[in-house]
Structure formats: C-alpha cells, structure tokens
Amino acid sequence: MKFIGIVGTNAKKSYNRMLLQFMQKHFASKAEIEILELKDVPMFNESKDQSDSPIIQEFNRKIEASDGVIIATPEHNHSIPAALKSIIEWLSFNLHPLDGKAVMIVGASYNIQGSSRAQLHLRQVLDAPGVNASVMPGSEFLLGKAQDAFDNKGDLKSQRTIDFLDSCFAKFMKFSDIIAQMNIPEDITYEPGTFKVTAVGHNGDLPMEVTLSDDRIEKIDIDTSSETQGIADVAFKRIPQQIIDGQTLNVDVVSGASITSRGVVDGVAKAVKMAGANPDILKKRKKSNGPNKQNVVEYQTDVVVVGAGGAGLTAAARTIQQGKKAIVLEKFPAIGGNTVRAGGPMNAADPEWQNKFEEITGERHTLKEISEIDEKTIDVEYLADFKALKKQINEYLKENEDKKAYLFDSKLLHRIQTYLGGKRTDLQGNKIYGQYDLVKELTDHALESVKWLEDIGVKFDKTQVTMPVGALWRRGHKPLGSQGFAFIEALKKYLESNDGQIMTDTAAKELIIEDGQVKGIIARSSDGKKIIVHAKAVVLASGGFGANTKMLKKYNTYWSNIDDNIKTTNSPAITGDGIRLGQSAGAELVGMGFSQMMPVSDPETGELFSGLQVPPQNFVMVNQKGKRFVNEYGSRDELTKAAIDNGSLFYLIADDAIKETAYNTSQAQIDKQVEQGTLYRDDTLEGLAKQVGMDPATFVKTINDYNSYVDAGEDPEFHKSAFDLKVEKAPFYATPRKPAVHHTMGGLKIDTDAHVINQDEKIIPGLYAAGEVAGGIHAGNRLGGNSLSDIFTFGRIAANNALKDMES
Amino acid sequence: MKLVGIVGTNSSESTNRRLLQYMKQHYSEQAEIEICEIDEIPVFDEPEDKTAPQAVQVLSDKIAASDGVIFATPEYDHSIPAVLKNAIEWLSYTTRPLINKPVMIIGASLGALGTSRAQAHLRQILEAPELKALIMPNVEYLLGRALEAFDDNGNMVYEDKAKELDNDFTEFLSFVKLTEKLTANSKFFEISKQFSWKQVANGEDM
C-alpha cells in the first residue's frame, strides 16, 4: 500500500513532521508513506487560480495515485493551520483528488490537548462537499506534550503510545481497502441517442437536449433563450462542462445558483435513465478534474480501419502488403468481432478442386430444379447469367447422364444461388434481391480471397468440401484449426509482424471530414483518452447491428415483431457504429429492413448449442399451447416467421431415441441442463406438458397426430417433407427455443470498389466500407458461408481502392 | 467610535467586502468603519524572530487603535478561508492586538446557509488563549444569497436582513461600550505580546 503523509504546517520545526517520519519508518514493512510538505504551497486565492502550478499538481497527482492520505495537524488558535487549510482549499477548487479518498487524521501539539480541537475542525473541513474525503471514524490519535514524546533518534518513547498508533494504523489499512472497493467505478452503457428533457430556470423549465453515445455523455444543450441573464447562466455553462469533462453527475453546484445547478444535474440524470442506464452510478463517480489536455493522442497513417473483425483486419493487412501504413480501431478489448463466432467454412466456387469430389444424392436434383426455373421470374440483370448457368448445368447433366458424377460448381452457380437465396419480399410488399454488380464482384473474387488468405497464413482443409447450414451448395473452404478464429489468428499474426497497429478498447466516435473528404477518425479509448487518427482513407468494417435491438426495431420491415429482449448470436459489440458513422457523412442506406434470425436459439443466451439440437427431419416443434405450428423442415426464415407469430418462444420435442440423434451434446450436459432448468425432461408426455405449462391433453393429441403422420409418411397439417423418428420412447424432452438475431443484411450503400455512396449517388471521397456494415449484397437473406466470402473479398477491395485513390 | 472591518477573503469579488462597504456607508453616523484587506499578508510559517511583517504590523496597528473589530467571513469547506486564518495566526503569534478587543462576526455567502459553520469555527478560533478576543455573544448575522442582496447603489435589498443588521450593529455598539468597563483593569493587557504555543504548553504567562 502507498500512503501520502501531509505535514500540516509549513514551520521549520514541527513535531507533526517528526510524527509522520516516525510512522514512515515504523510502518515501512506494511506500507510506503511519502511525506509531502506545505512550504511551497501558495495561499489559496479563488481570483488567482494556481491549480496548474507544479506544487499543486504534485499534490493532486500523488494523492490521486495513493491508497490513502495521512494528515498530521498541529493546532493553531483552536483550529488547523492556515497553511493546511490553504492546500485543502486548492484541492477542493478545480481539482478534487481527495474525493472519496481514505484519510487518517493524527496530530501532535505542545500542550496536553494534542490538537484535539484542530482535529475536529479538520474532520468538518474534509467532510465539505468540495473535498468529500472519506475520513476514518474513531481512532483519534492525539499526541500531547509532543516536545517530550520523542527520543533523540526521533522514535516515540512511550510503548503505550506506539501500541495505540499501531492499532490506529492497522485499522486505517483495512479502512482504505474498504474505501478503495467503494471507489471501483461501475461501467455504464447507454442506448445512444439525443434525449429531450428539461432544466430548471428562474422563469420555469428550459428545454435541454442530452446526447449520449453508447458509453459517454457527449453533449448537453440548454436552450436559455427564455431565461434572464445572471448567475444562473454560469450554472448552465459550468455544470454541463463539469458533467462532460468528468463523465460524472457528482458536480459542485454553482454557489448562488444551486437550484438551477441541480436542475441541470437532474435533467441529465433523467436522460441517462431514458437511455436505459442508472444515473446513481454517475452520481457516485468522482468529481471532474477538468479537461485533461494530455489526454489527447494523435496519429498519422494511410488507412484507418474501424473494427477488428475479419473485414477490418483484411483491409489493414492488404494495405500493409502494398507498403502503406494502417491502424485498426476496435472498441472491444478483444479482436475478432463476429468472425470468431463463425462456423468456419467460406463459400467460393473452385471447380478445379470441387470436381475431384463425387456428387452426393440430391445434388443433381437441386441443379435440375434450378435449370427448370421459369426465366420470367429471373430479374433482368441476372438473366444472361442465368441462361449461361442453365447451359452449364444441362451440359453437366448430359455428360453424366448415366454415371456417378463429380461435384459441380461454377462462379455462375454461386452467383445465381446468392441472388435466389436473397430474394425476399417484406411486410410492406417491397421486393429485394442482391445488387447484381456487387453479387458478381463477390462471386468472381471469392476464390481469390481463399488464395490470398493462404498467402497470409491460413491453412485450409483440402480433404473435404463442406457446406454450412443454409449454404445451398457444397463449396465451403474450411480452415484447419478452430473455425472462425483461424482466420483472425492468421491476420493478427501477419499484422503484428508487419508493423500494423491494432488499438483495442478504442471506439470510433466521429469522422474527420474536411471539404467533403473523409480524413480520419476521432475515437475514444476506454480510459477516456481522445484519439485522433489522421488518415488518407477510412475503411468502415464494424459489422452490422445485430446486437442493437433498438436499431433493429427501428428499421425492421420483415418480421411482424421483434421482442425487446430478443437475443443475438452476435458479439455484443455489433451495434451499428459504422452505419451511424457513414450516415454522418451523408451515406445512403440500403435494405435496412431485412435481418436474418436463427430460429432455434437459446431463449436466454441466443446461443445455438444448448438443449437438444437434432437433424431437422427429427424436429418436432410445438408452441406454448402445445400445438405444432410450422413445417419443421422449412427454411430459417420460415421457421422464424412462424415462431414470431406464435409468441417467439417454442419447444423442440424429443424422445429418448431422437435424443440419440442430437449432434451437440452429451448425457452429462443434458443432465446438467435439466438440473439447471434450461431443458425439461419427464417420463410422460403429460408430465412434460405440465412442466412447461401447456395443456396436457392438447400436447398429447399433437404428439399422437405427429406420430400418425410419420407412420403415414404424410403431414396433412403442415406438409413436413421429411420424417424420421416418432416421439414414443420415454423419457421425453422439451428444449425451449426462440429466434435470435443472426445477420443484418442492410447497411451502407457501396459500389464495387467498396466506396461508400451518398444520398446523391456520389462517392464519398476517402470513405470505404466492407463486410456486414455494407448492404446490397445479401438482400433479404444471406446464404450460410457467404459472410466470410464477403468480408475477405470486400475487405481486400476496400484497401485496394483506398490505395489506388490515394495515388491519383 | 472607530471600528475596523476585516474582509475575510483575498478574492477580488467578495460579497463580504460588499457587506462591510454597506455597513460603512449605512452606519457612518454611528461609527467610523475602516475596511481592511488581508490579501497582502505573507504566508505564516512560525518564523523564529516572531516579528510581524509590514502588512501584519499595519493591520495590527489599526486594530490596536480601534474600539472594536468586525470580521466578515466567507465559508470555504465548512470553515473560514485559509487566508483569514493566516492573518489571525500572524496576529496571535506576533503583536496580539485582539486581546480584550470587542469583536463582531458576520458573514455572507452565495448559497442559502450564510457561513454558519465558518462563523462557529471563527468564534472558537478567536476564543483561543493566544487571541483572547471578546466576541459579542448572542448575535449571529448570516447573510445567505448575498449576490442578490445588494442593489446597484450598494443598498441592501432584503428588508428583514437589513433590519436585523441594524439591531445587531446597535447591540455591538453597546457591547463595545460595556467591554470598556469590563476590561478597564484587565491584566491581560500587561502580558507579553510575544506569544508561542510552546509557552502555552509550559504554563507560562499567556
């Protein structure tokens, strides 16, 4: 522990100094005590602020850094010396290092009193709101007749006195520990936005606007136009400044304007509440020490990237490969974004490789189905490609008519499947499909991305060609190693060994725009530093907004309802930051109403791999009333739509045999989840129904009907197209499920060079976007495995064009 | 009657200074009040020679020549300002002009409380044996919301507070007269003006 001892006098000879020096020596094994002197402290004068002077700054800095302060005070005229009072006044004026700091008071005097009255005054002084120290109660150490108390080595002579000092000090060590715990700042997060509240003026309430970002109070605007001039004006200026500087609601009220001062604080507190946060956390924070000028750091680079997921790291790596400098800003402590959560395979048509594998049952049928699609239903931009694909398919089918064929693929098939997969109509009847030139760019260059990643150091498993859920075709390139993390690991290694800079805990807040040209980013680090990155280009690669429910609800046009408490498979960092930044530069948005849900997610965590996840042919889904409600073999968004229409929460029913087909779990895990109440198990269907709160008779009828459909091979109710097992063997299971947000398809409008496009269809100079932050490619629904193709392809494209534009 | 009014702060803007100026003007027929500033007084550091610096000597002489002293104190951190305490420490350590001197304590603040805690401290301080001032009992003049208390001509806007001050000041004038009789034969005047806290402890004459 480290304590600061303050000698409460500036006299040359002081028994209080001797007392502190004795403590310093005597407690050396327990704590370090650094003694500060008042000799050079100027007399406090509020008209001549010297808070910035080296001596006051030294006191401020050292006290701030300490675990506690010991003040040794003499008694002058029944009170503390003016010199001691003066430093306390300095430290309660513009600086507040004693705020919440543990303080121990000791005192020595010539007379028998031992500074008893001075100590009481000092307690009252330290308790004043501007000082706000945490003074240790009790354990009053008074050293009377100090001139006789020390021997010539400076040690206290009386063992009894030493024993008492020991016990006081031991208590102070504990006390400062407890106070330190009280001072641990609580984190606070806001729903970003501008909130309209009121401040109190002399002539009634004044309109006030408080702007909050996700972790900061950014702006407080008070409309004082209806207010008469006077002292309150100071409150309307000084209080908002203090609140913003210190990110605190613990502010000194302006003397003489306490009502208006508190009115501002109350108004901001109300806005904080409206933003879903607890203002008490801010009231407990320390007072502002004024804006710290050293807390601004500036950087100069070629390309600054927002977001350290796959797209961002790719853009940075590509920049460095071409001999330029790059800085990546990541608001979270860890890099990887959603990419580390990806299953692993990335789509890229690579016929040369795929042709080495045999076709599997059903694939030929899929190709036939595609070739038989009515051309009238194909949008005109895609028609030529569709016809060419049809030709490829027919040739392939003809060539392999009578024999086992190889696995077919082509860029055209990838392109048409991405197009068909993304074609959707929202609730308002708006039709959407992937923008042709972007889809072409993606499918033409996806394979280059695989090769580029290999150059960077990603190793792929060439022995199998896989297909993630919802991919529609086997063209997945799966990295060796742990799924999505394999990409991030390799990119990180590349950047680190090539002078790339990744700044974590650094949230981009603002674009620097000069004469319409984007010239960098203003960011803020989690420790409050302002970081200015000047750059020739800014690449936004911060992902979508799957973890921002408010934003999802604002734009949603596809789902009939999105629950306030909907979960997500995304990283909590994915809150649409890049979209907001783009908008600040006038960017156009496309397809914002469309989002993709994972229907079978955990209702509490959003994760996929809890409960019993079985192949879809064994899915039996029932709603909260115990009735089936959907063809369980349907697509992700069919299942999600049906679930939302049935109150979102539903159950996957399994019996003992179906349980055996689960691919995600073990008996031990199942038992644990049953115990925790996240999975239900019962020996009878009736019992299971009761456990989850369904009508047993309805539920039993539902299961009996389902079993009869399995026997008949036909589902007259929902037309489930493939069956496997019946639900008949106890014990029975119910896994609660709820759709969770998985991907937001909409975002910033870009061109094929990854330039961000503004509302006048013009390029925003210096601004690029790559990955989920951009819209227009996946349209209404993204194919599984296409997100990785997207980020690595457009991440490279963004860097390539940023550098190209720099040259010209 | 000749009184000294001490402005208890070194701030260039002070409602306590304004309060004293109001009294000087308003009570000019009853008493001559000389307003004294303490901002030039150096930081007290218990010098061994116990000599009052020039600024302290000037203030001390004025106090000594007066019939009574009015302290107008702001409140900083629940107590009197360091700068006022500093002046008092010099006086107590060197020339001790406050011995048996009638004293009235007043205070003005921007907030509502009107320096209540600072005044209580100042009372305790001036009662210390090193100072031995005669503080007028029973009267506590607290002027809250002082920034709005005076109009452009320096007159007090709050009628009740003006009346209260009239009464308190009249009381103080009687108190000054009363103390003349009370202290006429006091031995306190004869004791050494050279004071130290060490002497206090050693039971020496105070």
Side-chain angles (χ1 to χ4, degrees):
Chain A
M1 272 195 163
K2 164 125 201 206
F3 296 124
I4 293 298
I6 298 177
V7 182
T9 172
N10 51 2
K12 281 202 190 79
K13 170 127 184 98
S14 161
Y15 291 107
N16 283 284
R17 185 178 297 117
M18 283 179 79
L19 177 58
L20 278 178
Q21 282 164 346
F22 171 74
M23 288 175 77
Q24 186 178 44
K25 189 166 63 175
H26 184 66
F27 297 121
S29 63
K30 296 192 173 92
E32 184 191 336
I33 300 174
E34 181 181 355
I35 297 174
L36 297 182
E37 295 283 353
L38 299 177
K39 191 167 67 71
D40 299 323
V41 176
M43 180 55 65
F44 176 76
N45 186 332
E46 65 173 309
S47 314
K48 289 180 198 151
D49 185 12
Q50 293 171 68
S51 301
D52 285 340
S53 65
I55 179 75
I56 310 285
Q57 283 294 328
E58 186 192 356
F59 268 84
N60 182 54
R61 199 177 56 246
K62 289 191 169 163
I63 291 172
E64 283 261 8
S66 74
D67 297 304
V69 177
I70 304 166
I71 302 177
T73 182
E75 180 170 304
H76 289 182
N77 316 133
H78 286 184
S79 189
I80 60 171
L84 176 56
K85 184 76 199 316
S86 179
I87 186 68
I88 295 173
E89 285 171 6
W90 282 122
L91 300 180
S92 61
F93 185 48
N94 282 328
L95 307 168
H96 302 275
L98 287 162
D99 190 354
K101 192 65 69 182
V103 174
M104 177 186 190
I105 298 173
V106 296
S109 74
Y110 284 107
N111 63 23
I112 195 80
Q113 291 291 330
S115 75
S116 61
R117 291 155 301 201
Q119 288 200 22
L120 286 179
H121 276 197
L122 184 54
R123 259 169 210 283
Q124 288 178 297
V125 167
L126 292 171
D127 207 26
V131 189
N132 209 28
S134 297
V135 185
M136 178 168 70
S139 298
E140 197 174 35
F141 185 83
L142 309 161
L143 185 67
K145 301 243 174 248
Q147 64 275 31
D148 302 326
F150 297 94
D151 65 19
N152 50 17
K153 281 187 286 177
D155 293 337
L156 281 172
K157 287 192 263 184
S158 157
Q159 190 54 46
R160 271 186 62 206
T161 307
I162 294 173
D163 289 346
F164 182 62
L165 187 59
D166 284 348
S167 79
C168 290
F169 191 76
K171 188 175 156 192
F172 183 58
M173 303 256 298
K174 251 189 202 164
F175 179 75
S176 45
D177 252 351
I178 292 162
I179 294 301
Q181 281 171 37
M182 280 180 65
N183 287 337
I184 293 170
E186 278 181 84
D187 276 344
I188 193 159
T189 48
Y190 313 107
E191 288 288 346
T194 298
F195 299 87
K196 287 188 174 28
V197 286
T198 53
V200 181
H202 284 294
N203 307 337
D205 287 352
L206 304 175
M208 171 159 79
E209 281 189 359
V210 181
T211 304
L212 304 172
S213 59
D214 49 4
D215 60 350
R216 276 181 66 82
I217 302 167
E218 299 285 356
K219 219 161 92 186
I220 300 168
D221 282 328
I222 304 168
D223 179 359
T224 54
S225 51
S226 67
E227 188 71 1
T228 43
Q229 300 285 310
I231 183 75
D233 268 3
V234 182
F236 294 141
K237 278 191 200 107
R238 198 184 291 172
I239 300 288
Q241 198 57 50
Q242 283 184 32
I243 291 174
I244 290 170
D245 285 347
Q247 294 293 307
T248 176
L249 287 178
N250 180 10
V251 295
D252 287 328
V253 299
V254 174
S255 302
S258 50
I259 293 169
T260 43
S261 299
R262 284 193 197 100
V264 175
V265 172
D266 291 347
V268 176
K270 200 171 160 198
V272 166
K273 232 182 196 169
M274 286 161 82
N278 179 6
D280 290 341
I281 295 174
L282 296 179
K283 286 180 182 163
K284 275 187 248 157
R285 282 192 179 169
K286 283 172 149 285
K287 289 198 162 86
S288 163
N289 270 346
N292 196 333
K293 287 155 204 131
Q294 290 149 355
N295 265 355
V296 181
V297 193
E298 298 202 39
Y299 295 88
Q300 192 82 46
T301 191
D302 294 311
V303 177
V304 59
V305 180
V306 181
L313 297 180
T314 296
R318 186 72 195 114
T319 302
I320 285 167
Q321 258 183 346
Q322 297 177 70
K324 298 283 179 184
K325 285 186 292 179
I327 292 178
V328 184
L329 307 177
E330 168 58 49
K331 74 171 171 183
F332 262 36
I335 64 166
N338 269 352
T339 309
V340 291
R341 295 179 176 231
M346 77 180 265
N347 291 341
D350 185 3
E352 215 174 290
W353 170 59
Q354 285 161 289
N355 291 353
K356 290 179 191 149
F357 297 87
E358 283 190 342
E359 65 167 340
I360 58 171
T361 321
E363 283 176 342
R364 203 181 283 229
H365 180 71
T366 305
L367 290 176
K368 219 174 243 166
E369 272 185 354
I370 293 171
S371 71
E372 284 162 6
I373 291 172
D374 185 352
E375 287 182 6
K376 281 189 214 114
T377 65
I378 301 295
D379 290 284
V380 59
E381 310 93 295
Y382 286 93
L383 197 56
D385 282 350
F386 180 71
K387 283 180 179 160
L389 173 64
K390 222 161 121 176
K391 201 167 155 235
Q392 285 179 352
I393 291 175
N394 288 335
E395 275 166 14
Y396 167 81
L397 293 175
K398 202 169 165 198
E399 177 194 337
N400 298 292
E401 211 169 354
D402 304 314
K403 57 180 181 197
K404 184 88 177 166
Y406 55 88
L407 170 61
F408 173 84
D409 203 6
S410 69
K411 284 175 182 170
L412 285 179
L413 178 60
H414 188 194
R415 186 174 313 152
I416 294 300
Q417 285 187 315
T418 301
Y419 155 68
L420 293 173
K423 210 168 168 178
R424 287 289 186 282
T425 305
D426 70 9
L427 297 169
Q428 298 158 357
N430 301 312
K431 287 197 173 62
I432 192 170
Y433 57 88
Q435 192 181 313
Y436 176 78
D437 57 351
L438 294 178
V439 175
K440 182 174 189 315
E441 193 76 12
L442 173 72
T443 51
D444 277 349
H445 298 284
L447 186 58
E448 283 166 29
S449 299
V450 174
K451 306 251 186 285
W452 181 80
L453 284 165
E454 283 179 322
D455 288 345
I456 288 293
V458 179
K459 292 194 175 59
F460 288 93
D461 181 358
K462 299 281 183 191
T463 63
Q464 50 169 326
V465 53
T466 57
M467 176 175 107
V469 184
L472 304 182
W473 198 251
R474 285 193 296 148
R475 59 171 70 90
H477 300 250
K478 193 173 178 300
L480 289 166
S482 49
Q483 304 185 345
F485 184 67
F487 298 112
I488 297 301
E489 200 183 18
L491 286 162
K492 183 180 176 222
K493 209 183 257 174
Y494 180 85
L495 286 173
E496 280 174 353
S497 50
N498 289 284
D499 293 330
Q501 197 174 355
I502 304 174
M503 297 167 67
T504 53
D505 283 308
T506 305
K509 292 288 177 193
E510 238 179 275
L511 292 174
I512 302 169
I513 307 174
E514 287 165 23
D515 302 328
Q517 169 91 27
V518 176
K519 289 198 162 166
I521 290 271
I522 297 171
R524 199 165 286 274
S525 65
S526 57
D527 58 4
K529 267 197 218 106
K530 185 177 182 180
I531 291 168
I532 304 174
V533 186
H534 301 281
K536 292 175 189 131
V538 173
V539 177
L540 299 175
S542 54
F545 52 101
N548 185 341
T549 309
K550 213 169 170 184
M551 195 165 166
L552 275 166
K553 290 181 76 134
K554 177 181 167 191
Y555 287 105
N556 171 51
T557 56
Y558 189 64
W559 306 106
S560 59
N561 179 47
I562 292 178
D563 267 4
D564 282 337
N565 62 355
I566 194 158
K567 302 297 182 228
T568 178
T569 61
N570 284 201
S571 152
I574 309 300
T575 52
D577 303 350
I579 294 175
R580 278 196 300 272
L581 286 171
Q583 278 183 298
S584 74
E588 175 77 312
L589 304 181
V590 286
M592 291 293 283
F594 295 86
S595 54
Q596 188 173 63
M597 304 262 182
M598 271 294 181
V600 286
S601 304
D602 188 296
E604 298 304 325
T605 63
E607 64 180 310
L608 292 173
F609 298 114
S610 63
L612 296 174
Q613 293 277 5
V614 299
Q617 59 266 36
N618 284 333
F619 273 166
V620 183
M621 295 178 173
V622 300
N623 65 17
Q624 294 163 58
K625 294 197 174 110
K627 289 185 178 165
R628 283 179 68 225
F629 59 93
V630 68
N631 169 9
E632 289 91 339
Y633 216 69
S635 67
R636 278 183 198 174
D637 58 338
E638 280 164 5
L639 295 180
T640 300
K641 276 200 159 168
I644 288 175
D645 291 342
N646 280 269
S648 291
L649 178 68
F650 65 95
Y651 298 90
L652 291 175
I653 305 302
D655 74 345
D656 205 44
I658 294 175
K659 181 202 80 182
E660 294 302 322
T661 67
Y663 53 81
N664 66 310
T665 191
S666 64
Q667 192 59 46
Q669 268 187 336
I670 291 172
D671 293 341
K672 198 173 152 205
Q673 287 175 27
V674 169
E675 200 181 301
Q676 288 170 341
T678 55
L679 173 66
Y680 300 94
R681 178 168 62 193
D682 208 287
D683 286 334
T684 64
L685 288 170
E686 289 86 349
L688 188 65
K690 275 183 206 154
Q691 276 200 42
V692 295
M694 298 166 183
D695 173 41
T698 309
F699 178 62
V700 171
K701 183 176 182 308
T702 301
I703 297 302
N704 288 341
D705 287 351
Y706 179 82
N707 288 344
S708 74
Y709 306 153
V710 178
D711 283 338
E714 200 193 331
D715 168 13
E717 272 187 279
F718 297 100
H719 312 288
K720 184 171 177 182
S721 34
F723 299 104
D724 186 10
L725 296 167
K726 288 195 278 191
V727 182
E728 51 189 1
K729 193 176 165 207
F732 302 102
Y733 294 90
T735 302
R737 296 286 89 172
K738 223 177 185 180
V741 183
H742 189 55
H743 188 95
T744 49
M745 267 76 66
L748 302 171
K749 188 175 170 70
I750 56 167
D751 65 10
T752 52
D753 291 341
H755 291 116
V756 178
I757 304 300
N758 73 11
Q759 286 159 4
D760 302 325
E761 299 283 311
K762 298 231 165 62
I763 287 169
I764 300 171
L767 190 63
Y768 306 80
E772 201 174 333
V773 71
I777 301 168
H778 309 293
N781 177 59
R782 175 183 58 76
L783 299 190
N786 260 4
S787 55
L788 293 170
S789 323
D790 178 353
I791 60 177
F792 298 125
T793 304
F794 280 94
R796 286 187 303 120
I797 291 173
N800 288 346
N801 287 293
L803 269 46
K804 203 167 105 192
D805 294 345
M806 261 175 230
E807 305 284 300
S808 57
Chain B
M1 191 172 288
K2 211 169 149 46
L3 301 175
V4 164
I6 296 178
V7 181
T9 173
N10 49 2
S11 172
S12 54
E13 288 295 321
S14 164
T15 50
N16 282 286
R17 186 177 295 117
R18 254 193 259 176
L19 177 58
L20 281 175
Q21 282 161 348
Y22 164 80
M23 289 174 78
K24 179 186 165 108
Q25 185 188 8
H26 197 68
Y27 302 128
S28 56
E29 285 177 14
Q30 289 139 284
E32 183 195 328
I33 302 176
E34 182 176 2
I35 297 174
C36 296
E37 301 284 351
I38 53 174
D39 57 326
E40 303 275 301
I41 295 175
V43 176
F44 175 68
D45 60 352
E46 293 183 51
E48 276 179 24
D49 63 1
K50 294 192 177 157
T51 312
Q54 172 71 14
V56 176
Q57 193 61 53
V58 169
L59 176 66
S60 180
D61 291 346
K62 284 180 180 167
I63 292 171
S66 74
D67 298 307
V69 178
I70 305 167
F71 282 95
T73 182
E75 179 170 305
Y76 289 179
D77 295 333
H78 288 177
S79 189
I80 62 168
V83 69
L84 176 56
K85 183 77 200 320
N86 187 59
I88 293 171
E89 280 171 12
W90 273 117
L91 296 175
S92 74
Y93 188 77
T94 57
T95 53
R96 304 183 74 194
L98 284 162
I99 293 175
N100 281 342
K101 191 65 66 182
V103 167
M104 179 185 192
I105 297 173
I106 58 174
S109 76
L110 303 186
L113 301 186
T115 73
S116 58
R117 291 156 301 198
Q119 288 197 25
H121 276 196
L122 184 53
R123 232 165 239 283
Q124 284 181 285
I125 290 163
L126 293 172
E127 270 170 1
E130 310 92 283
L131 288 149
K132 285 190 180 0
L134 286 174
I135 308 153
M136 178 170 66
N138 305 336
V139 165
E140 189 179 41
Y141 187 77
L142 309 164
L143 182 63
R145 309 210 172 291
L147 209 61
E148 295 104 56
F150 302 98
D151 65 18
D152 291 343
N153 299 322
N155 293 315
M156 200 178 294
V157 178
Y158 308 145
E159 278 178 32
D160 53 337
K161 292 309 282 184
K163 204 164 166 207
E164 186 188 333
L165 189 57
D166 289 347
N167 292 337
D168 288 353
F169 189 69
T170 311
E171 278 294 305
F172 183 57
L173 296 180
S174 331
F175 179 73
V176 171
K177 291 208 176 83
L178 189 71
T179 55
E180 274 170 27
K181 290 176 194 156
L182 193 70
T183 59
N185 302 310
S186 173
K187 285 185 181 167
F188 286 167
F189 290 117
E190 296 155 21
I191 60 179
S192 166
K193 296 273 176 184
Q194 296 285 307
F195 174 85
S196 85
W197 285 286
K198 194 171 173 179
Q199 288 171 303
V200 176
N202 292 342
E204 288 172 30
D205 231 354
M206 303 189 295

